[in-house]
Amino acid sequence: MSTCTKVSRELDEPLAGTAATARTWLLVEQPGPWGARALTSSHLDPDLGRALEKATEGTGVRIALIRRPGRHADCHTAAERKVYAAHTAPGNVWLHSATTSAPKQLLELDFAALGGGASDTFDTVLDGRPHTGDPLALVCTNGKRDRCCALLGRPLAAELAASGVDGAWEVTHLGGHRFSPTLLVLPFGYAYGRAEAHAVKEILQGVREGRVVTEGCRGSSAWERPGQAAELAIRTAAGEEVADTLTVVHTDGTAPRWEVTVAHTDGRIWRVTVAQGASLPPRQESCGSALGSPARMDVLAIRELSRPAAASLVAL
């Protein structure tokens, strides 16, 4: 059987610069089945789902539904739900958790503040607290969006849970179906594609140690796609594993070419030239879609700046 994932893997389509963009993630537990647009096609009140979609527009907050791996009974019973909020911008990375039996409370959140990196609104409204457990491993399993997410994502999520990964959850949508199984790891917010259980465990161990594993990485959700590709390129070139050390300071230009400035906490600065290309030959972006040429981010050049040039650039 030919699938979008199989074709993408065979063509060795690059992963860097393909992660969903969100500075802040808001994750709401919702058992039971999910439709293609999960916020309005699940057992979550669809009016609430529409209100949340509207309330988060332009705030930098992305909402997704989560559920524990395993069989999902078609159950309408209201229950206490787990809720997480995570901010992924370097220098202010955090992950908080809460529980609620009244999901309409979510509409009381100050989404602009949450998107800006303030956790106070989450803690005040939902009685949230810093998350003290394992990092979260969120595996996309929404087969109503693309069959590959169910065929490949659900077995991965189940394997992680069965092997004792307490932070394993299924999630509604991370984009990039053709890279299934896709994974988002919080709190740092790096996304991964073509994930396998043994690699996910290495990634999670890295998170516990404050490291970023770049193998199979699609990028940090804190940045737009040119910045994702640039940051990963610097990590590879400089051999930098430590999380929370690199920041995308500027992204100049427009498609199909950008100059991205990446800064290290130790004062080093790089200028990275990123170009948008087309993935060839044409392939499906998702199962059932027409053939197309998905955009790819190619790093053309990396230049480390002198300290005086770097200081003047950051001051802009």
Side-chain angles (χ1 to χ4, degrees):
M1 177 178 63
S2 180
T3 63
C4 64
T5 298
K6 185 174 184 291
V7 172
S8 177
R9 187 186 293 270
E10 289 175 347
L11 294 174
D12 197 24
E13 186 176 351
L15 294 168
T18 67
T21 301
R23 287 236 164 169
T24 301
W25 291 85
L26 181 64
L27 308 170
V28 184
E29 185 177 5
Q30 178 57 62
W34 298 331
R37 294 183 62 86
L39 279 176
T40 54
S41 54
S42 68
H43 291 332
L44 185 72
D45 179 353
D47 290 335
L48 173 59
R50 281 187 285 271
L52 288 170
E53 286 178 336
K54 184 175 181 180
T56 55
E57 286 180 1
T59 64
V61 177
R62 180 169 174 141
I63 300 183
L65 302 184
I66 58 174
R67 63 191 177 196
R68 284 298 188 182
R71 297 187 63 183
H72 307 297
D74 194 353
C75 177
H76 290 263
T77 305
E80 196 167 59
R81 307 158 190 263
K82 197 77 175 179
V83 184
Y84 295 98
H87 190 66
T88 62
N92 186 30
V93 171
W94 50 261
L95 172 62
H96 287 212
S97 63
T99 56
T100 182
S101 56
K104 287 186 178 179
Q105 283 184 298
L106 297 170
L107 292 175
E108 300 174 25
L109 294 170
D110 183 339
F111 289 105
L114 199 61
S119 62
D120 307 36
T121 179
F122 183 84
D123 296 344
T124 300
V125 172
L126 297 172
D127 195 25
R129 295 289 186 273
H131 176 66
T132 57
D134 286 344
L136 304 187
L138 305 157
V139 182
C140 183
T141 62
N142 192 349
K144 296 296 185 181
R145 295 294 296 246
D146 190 281
R147 61 181 175 173
C148 287
C149 296
L151 290 173
L152 301 174
R154 292 195 67 186
L156 173 62
E159 184 177 353
L160 292 173
S163 65
V165 178
D166 185 59
W169 292 86
E170 297 185 6
V171 68
T172 47
H173 184 50
L174 298 176
H177 315 294
R178 64 193 182 280
F179 304 126
S180 296
T182 59
L183 173 84
L184 176 72
V185 179
L186 294 175
F188 294 124
Y190 286 85
Y192 293 83
R194 304 176 188 137
E196 297 180 4
H198 67 89
V200 174
K201 291 175 183 178
E202 292 178 9
I203 291 165
L204 294 176
Q205 184 59 34
V207 174
R208 295 184 190 97
E209 298 171 358
R211 295 184 294 107
V212 175
V213 173
T214 57
E215 181 70 25
C217 191
R218 300 173 62 194
S220 166
S221 71
W223 316 123
E224 297 293 336
R225 292 185 176 183
Q228 294 173 14
E231 192 243 25
L232 283 178
I234 295 301
R235 285 196 174 278
T236 300
E240 181 56 80
E241 291 185 331
V242 179
D244 215 20
T245 57
L246 296 176
T247 299
V248 175
V249 180
H250 300 292
T251 300
D252 302 314
T254 57
R257 190 182 180 96
W258 299 267
E259 294 293 329
V260 182
T261 304
V262 179
H264 195 290
T265 51
D266 66 9
R268 285 179 291 170
I269 300 282
W270 295 267
R271 290 280 277 179
V272 184
T273 304
V274 180
Q276 178 177 299
S279 296
L280 297 172
R283 80 286 311 272
Q284 292 178 309
E285 290 198 47
S286 61
C287 290
S289 69
L291 293 179
S293 300
R296 54 183 284 169
M297 295 294 152
D298 295 315
V299 172
L300 304 183
I302 298 174
R303 180 166 61 98
E304 185 172 353
L305 304 183
S306 64
R307 293 298 171 116
S312 63
L313 188 61
V314 172
L316 292 177

